[in-house]
Amino acid sequence: MNRQGISLALLIVVVYAFVFYFSLSTEVSWDSRGEFNHPANVTVPGKVVVDMPPELELISGVYPELDYHEEFENSLKGAITEVLKSENLSPKFAHVRPLIVFPGEGLPSRINNSVVIIFVPFYGHENRVYYENCYASILVYMNSNGDVGSYLSVEEKYSGDSRKTDDLKYFATDLFRTARARAELDGSPYSLKVVYWNVLEVRRGKLSDKGCWDILAGEVGEEFQEWARTLRPSDEP
């Protein structure tokens, strides 16, 4: 084989090796992440109410052909359920954010269980030949004392203008301060955490064994577990 043939063969080997590696590898990255934390070991009922983004459920119901919406929702639910069960807790997926507020009705203030509220301003999915990207802007509010009112009041302040949530740092800072001030005023023990990613992104090779949304939800689950470990279920055997 002449020198030109050897060079061509080496080039083909390098290209195939690159494609194979690219198809197997995964990469997680983010643009601006932050968290605010007040950890404390607290005794709570064994059920945790989790409010998923209504948009995920509505879009997957209206546009079933856009299956990545349902995949994102199911991956988040799966990661949260796995974390809670590992801490002898159980999730109850229910909306504490009212979809419609009628005139004269007030917003809910507190529930009798620990609460998790997930806010997702945007998310998306891109499919390529050898890999796929999934990404989302996410904020997660976790509070052991069931304080829903703090979240709703801050969300109302930031709703209606997407520019206010382009950088979730301000939403998260305001939310943590509001919830902490209310908890300190109440005087009872509480465990509080707010974490956000302006953009959390996963690049997954097509031959990788885990789904793109599963990997992304796993990143959220790791932050969620840190808070869940502070909860001691009152009905634990």
Side-chain angles (χ1 to χ4, degrees):
M1 182 180 294
N2 58 33
R3 182 174 298 178
Q4 186 176 5
I6 293 174
S7 298
L8 180 60
L10 287 174
L11 178 61
I12 292 173
V13 170
V14 169
V15 170
Y16 270 95
F18 176 78
V19 169
F20 186 70
Y21 170 78
F22 212 59
S23 299
L24 281 174
S25 64
T26 60
E27 180 182 351
V28 180
S29 61
W30 57 80
D31 174 20
S32 187
R33 173 200 171 280
E35 69 174 76
F36 303 91
N37 209 349
H38 179 280
N41 293 329
V42 292
T43 300
V44 296
K47 194 177 297 294
V48 177
V49 174
V50 182
D51 188 332
M52 298 288 292
E55 298 81 8
L56 288 180
E57 298 173 344
L58 292 173
I59 292 177
S60 61
V62 176
Y63 301 104
E65 68 275 11
L66 301 176
D67 55 354
Y68 72 84
H69 298 278
E70 187 173 4
E71 288 178 16
F72 185 23
E73 177 190 358
N74 290 339
S75 294
L76 281 175
K77 286 182 175 179
I80 290 170
T81 299
E82 182 178 350
V83 167
L84 289 177
K85 285 186 175 180
S86 72
E87 303 298 333
N88 295 316
L89 299 160
S90 61
K92 178 183 179 182
F93 294 100
H95 291 301
V96 297
R97 288 172 284 193
L99 298 179
I100 300 176
V101 178
F102 294 99
E105 287 189 356
L107 295 173
S109 177
R110 193 181 297 271
I111 61 175
N112 294 325
N113 298 92
S114 300
V115 65
V116 175
I117 302 178
I118 302 174
F119 175 66
V120 179
F122 67 84
Y123 61 99
H125 179 267
E126 298 172 352
N127 217 353
R128 298 288 185 263
V129 176
Y130 301 112
Y131 69 94
E132 61 178 325
N133 281 355
C134 56
Y135 56 87
S137 178
I138 306 177
L139 179 145
V140 187
Y141 168 71
M142 299 158 268
N143 201 334
S144 66
N145 66 11
D147 176 11
V148 176
S150 292
Y151 178 88
L152 294 177
S153 65
V154 175
E155 183 187 52
E156 186 176 25
K157 177 180 174 181
Y158 286 85
S159 64
D161 185 352
S162 61
R163 291 173 298 180
K164 294 181 179 179
T165 54
D166 284 344
D167 189 345
L168 289 172
K169 175 178 67 176
Y170 305 105
F171 188 169
T173 302
D174 202 354
L175 176 56
F176 182 78
R177 287 175 178 170
T178 301
R180 184 175 60 178
R182 188 175 184 188
E184 294 293 339
L185 188 63
D186 180 64
S188 300
Y190 67 98
S191 185
L192 169 66
K193 182 174 183 178
V194 179
V195 62
Y196 72 89
W197 297 262
N198 278 341
V199 181
L200 176 60
E201 183 173 3
V202 173
R203 186 195 58 75
R204 170 195 173 268
K206 288 294 185 68
L207 298 180
S208 176
D209 58 348
K210 291 192 69 175
C212 194
W213 292 113
D214 289 337
I215 298 169
L216 189 146
E219 292 294 313
V220 178
E222 288 181 11
E223 298 296 332
F224 183 68
Q225 181 142 37
E226 182 182 336
W227 171 77
R229 284 174 178 156
T230 67
L231 308 182
R232 300 292 180 264
S234 58
D235 50 359
E236 185 179 23

